[in-house]
Amino acid sequence: DQIVALPARLRRQRLFSTEQLQRIALDCDRYNIEKLYAARPDVAFIAHYTQPSVIQTLREQDIALFTTTRV
């Protein structure tokens, strides 16, 4: 239904319209894990290089994780 956060690099790729980007409240590059959790996401897509501590925190919050792969 809603994207809660995006990495800054993904924002710059212009995959979404300006209006759509304005509705996405958080940037993953500077987000606070507690704010992400408060948004109650169903799933988080994480990069293959995501720090293990971030992955562990998301798992502890019972957020389903999908890892992106390097192409």
Side-chain angles (χ1 to χ4, degrees):
D1 244 8
Q2 178 182 2
I3 297 174
V4 176
L6 278 179
R9 285 189 221 167
L10 191 56
R11 280 186 190 273
R12 290 191 295 264
Q13 290 182 7
R14 300 289 184 193
L15 299 174
F16 303 96
S17 71
T18 301
E19 180 181 293
Q20 289 170 316
L21 288 173
Q22 289 173 344
R23 291 194 309 247
I24 301 171
L26 302 172
D27 284 339
C28 293
D29 295 343
R30 56 189 170 92
Y31 77 96
N32 181 330
I33 285 273
E34 285 123 22
K35 284 185 180 179
L36 181 60
Y37 182 67
R40 300 177 135 338
D42 295 319
V43 64
F45 293 89
I46 57 174
H48 63 278
Y49 52 81
T50 301
Q51 294 182 5
S53 61
V54 172
I55 294 170
Q56 183 63 32
T57 300
L58 293 170
R59 282 186 177 142
E60 289 171 359
Q61 294 173 348
D62 291 324
I63 297 172
L65 302 179
F66 289 89
T67 305
T68 59
T69 58
R70 180 182 281 176
V71 179

